[in-house]
Each structure stands twice: as structure tokens, then as C-alpha cells.
Amino acid sequence: MNAVSWIQRLHEHREWVNRQLLDAARRLSHEQLDQSFAIGQGSVRKSLFHLFAAEFVWLAALQGNPSPVAPGDAADGLPGNQQAADAIRSLAELEQHWTELAKRWRSYLAGLSESSLEEPVAKISSSSAMHRTRRGDILLHVCTHAQYTTAQLINMLRHLGVTPLPDAMLITLARHRSSPSENA
């Protein structure tokens, strides 16, 4: 496998885990979704929305928008702020937006080349500083950020008594995608 194939595999895993996290969250009550935790973004709902928003803004940056704003984000001072108009208000809406975003990610990843991984990508940070970062590093960051946030979410789900917990291990995805004789 080349670098592009490995990055595509990591993003395939990220998308697979996102679906499992949403499946687990659907089994929670509104109170459980919003229960306060001293980790992640403070609740299951906020952490899921954070995970989506990060994937949204990084894909937009990779596609040439240096100051992207996710649906519903409070982007004080940024042009085109429509936080109230496009806020995601439910898990069903989040799932719909995430499904569309996953399609956009798959399309983007399908067009990667080895040389494009070295290209700089401009993004304005939350502190308004302009940064230029290698495309390959951003693509890896999106996956490691997702893994970090997933661990926080699974810990919250564990404390909420969710069983079974989502299995977020890449090896599990690999075993599901391989033939039964290879799993022995």
C-alpha cells in the first residue's frame, strides 16, 4: 500500500466508527445525551457535534476554504455567519449532515495523489492566525482527532451504562471486511 491508500484506510475507519457512535447515541434519552461529563466537550451530544464540526471544517480547508464554518457554529466576526439559521438541532439532523459529509470525504479522498500529500493547505485558526500545513498532516490529524474524541465518547457511554459499547478498533473493521476463513 502507498501513503494515499493508508490515509484512505484510516478515513474509512473514521467513518465506520462515526456510524457506531451515532448508533449508540440513538439509544440514549435526551437527558443522557446532555448529561454533564468532565471530559470531551462536556456531553455526548456536544462531543458528537464537535467531531462532526472538526471533520466539516478540515474538509472545507482541504478543498480551499481557509476560514470554514460548520453548520451552527458560532463564528463571531467571520463573514457569512448563519449560526442560528443552519444549526443542527437533533441527532437525526446530525446524522443527515454527517451522511452527506461522509460522501464528500469519500469523493475527496478518491482524488488524492502521492504528490498532493506534500502540498500546503491554508487554514485560519480560531485565534485568527493563518497556518499552512501539509495536506498529509491534516489528513492524519483528522483521524487522530477522531480517535481521541471517540475514546472520550466511549468513556461517556460506559458511564451511562450503554451496552454493548461501540467497538472502535481498526482491527475489528479489518476483520469485518475480510472473509470468514481469514478470521480463524
Side-chain angles (χ1 to χ4, degrees):
M1 288 181 98
N2 62 27
V4 170
S5 297
W6 287 115
I7 286 172
Q8 290 168 334
R9 181 64 163 174
L10 288 172
H11 282 271
E12 175 188 10
H13 173 252
R14 176 189 51 74
E15 182 182 341
W16 178 75
V17 170
N18 288 347
R19 286 192 304 271
Q20 289 191 68
L21 292 171
L22 281 170
D23 288 344
R26 267 191 236 98
R27 296 181 284 175
L28 300 175
S29 68
H30 289 289
E31 293 76 23
Q32 289 173 311
L33 282 169
D34 296 320
Q35 183 173 324
S36 182
F37 289 96
I39 58 174
Q41 300 301 306
S43 73
V44 170
R45 185 187 312 270
K46 288 178 183 176
S47 295
L48 285 170
F49 281 59
H50 171 75
L51 193 54
F52 165 80
E55 293 173 12
F56 183 96
V57 299
W58 280 115
L59 179 58
L62 287 162
Q63 293 176 318
N65 179 353
S67 59
V69 178
D73 266 1
D76 297 330
L78 292 179
N81 180 14
Q82 298 177 356
Q83 74 186 68
D86 61 0
I88 300 171
R89 292 178 174 77
S90 69
L91 281 182
E93 287 181 35
L94 176 62
E95 185 171 12
Q96 180 182 14
H97 281 274
W98 226 336
T99 298
E100 286 302 313
L101 182 61
K103 290 176 189 172
R104 290 178 43 220
W105 266 107
R106 285 191 300 273
S107 176
Y108 175 81
L109 292 165
L112 284 178
S113 67
E114 289 283 326
S115 62
S116 70
L117 297 178
E118 297 299 323
E119 296 169 352
V121 173
K123 182 168 180 312
I124 298 173
S125 69
S126 56
S127 65
S128 299
M130 173 66 81
H131 297 278
R132 295 192 182 283
T133 309
R134 275 182 357 106
R135 185 175 311 278
D137 289 330
I138 291 170
L139 290 163
L140 292 173
H141 167 73
V142 170
C143 291
T144 58
H145 174 269
Q147 290 172 356
Y148 179 80
T149 305
T150 293
Q152 294 171 331
L153 279 159
I154 289 175
N155 194 16
M156 290 180 211
L157 294 169
R158 178 179 292 112
H159 284 287
L160 290 168
V162 171
T163 56
L165 288 168
D167 183 348
M169 302 300 288
L170 188 134
I171 195 69
T172 304
L173 170 65
R175 289 174 179 159
H176 284 312
R177 300 282 163 90
S178 66
S179 67
S181 62
E182 294 176 40
N183 290 334

